[in-house]
Amino acid sequence: PARLRLVANLKDAPASLFNQGATRLDGRLSGTLTMNGQGGNFNGDGQLQAVGLRPVTAERREAIDGSITATLRNGALVIQGNATNPRGLRATADARLTVITGLSPFRLQVARTSAINGNFEIGGPVEAVAKLALSRNSTASGTILARGQLSGTVASPSVQGRAELNNAALRDPSLGVRVTDANAVINFLGPIADIETLTASDGRGGK
C-alpha cells in the first residue's frame, strides 16, 4: 500500500513572501507540518505562528501576534486559533469537521456535506482586523465584542451568537462611504442576523 511521510518547516520567514494584491504585509511567520499515512488514511499536525503581522501602512501598535494549529486524526480535522495585539485585541476560534483522505491518488478534501462545529470570540479595537480585511485606503475604528457557536455543514454553516459594536467609524474613499458614531447590537440566529439596535451618522450631521 502507498505510504506517506512529510515533514516541513518554516522558520522566521518574512510575511511579505505571502503578499497578495494591494495589501503588503510586514511581520514574521514560523510553522511546522508533519503528515504520516498508509493506504487510504493519514494523520497530520500543523502549526503556524505570526509575530508582528500587519499591513505596511498600519502602525506597529496594530500588529497582531497569533497562532493556528491543526490536527488531523482518522478523517477528523480540528483547527484552533488565537490572536492578540498591544492595543487589547483578543480573539480565539476553533472548528471541528470531517475530511476525506487518500494516498493513491493523494486526496485531502473537505466534503461540502461535512458537519462543522466550533466556537469564536473576539473583543477589542477593530483597527487591526480592519487593516487586514479592507482596502489600503480604507480606515476603521471602534470596539467590538462578539462570541458565538458555529454549526451546520460546510456548504450551509449556521451561527448562533451576539455581536456588539461601539463608537465605530468607517471611511472608504473609493466607495464614497463615510460612517461615524456607529453603535449596534446584532444577534445571530442560525441563517438570520437580527439587528437589535443600530445608530450611526454619515459624518455630515445625518443620522
Side-chain angles (χ1 to χ4, degrees), residues 17-157:
L17 290 176
F18 303 93
N19 282 341
Q20 299 248 343
T23 301
R24 318 304 289 178
L25 297 175
D26 189 21
R28 311 297 292 185
L29 299 172
S30 299
T32 59
L33 175 66
T34 60
M35 301 184 76
N36 295 279
Q38 181 174 343
N41 184 49
F42 58 85
N43 300 321
D45 295 277
Q47 182 181 45
L48 180 67
Q49 294 179 316
V51 177
L53 185 65
R54 65 182 177 94
V56 295
T57 56
E59 298 179 24
R60 291 189 180 277
R61 63 176 184 164
E62 305 292 353
I64 293 174
D65 295 341
S67 67
I68 298 174
T69 61
T71 302
L72 176 63
R73 296 287 185 275
N74 301 316
L77 178 64
V78 178
I79 303 172
Q80 297 176 307
N82 66 80
T84 63
N85 83 345
R87 293 198 60 200
L89 176 71
R90 299 288 184 272
T92 61
D94 64 81
R96 296 166 292 281
L97 62 156
T98 302
V99 298
I100 302 170
T101 64
L103 292 179
S104 186
F106 180 83
R107 190 180 187 191
L108 179 60
Q109 177 184 353
V110 178
R112 288 174 55 81
T113 56
S114 171
I116 184 169
N117 295 280
N119 302 276
F120 65 88
E121 182 171 351
I122 181 171
V126 303
E127 285 90 338
V129 177
K131 284 285 187 180
L132 290 171
L134 300 176
S135 64
R136 184 169 58 179
N137 295 325
S138 300
T139 59
S141 61
T143 61
I144 188 172
L145 175 61
R147 59 171 60 94
Q149 296 79 45
L150 182 64
S151 60
T153 65
V154 173
S156 182

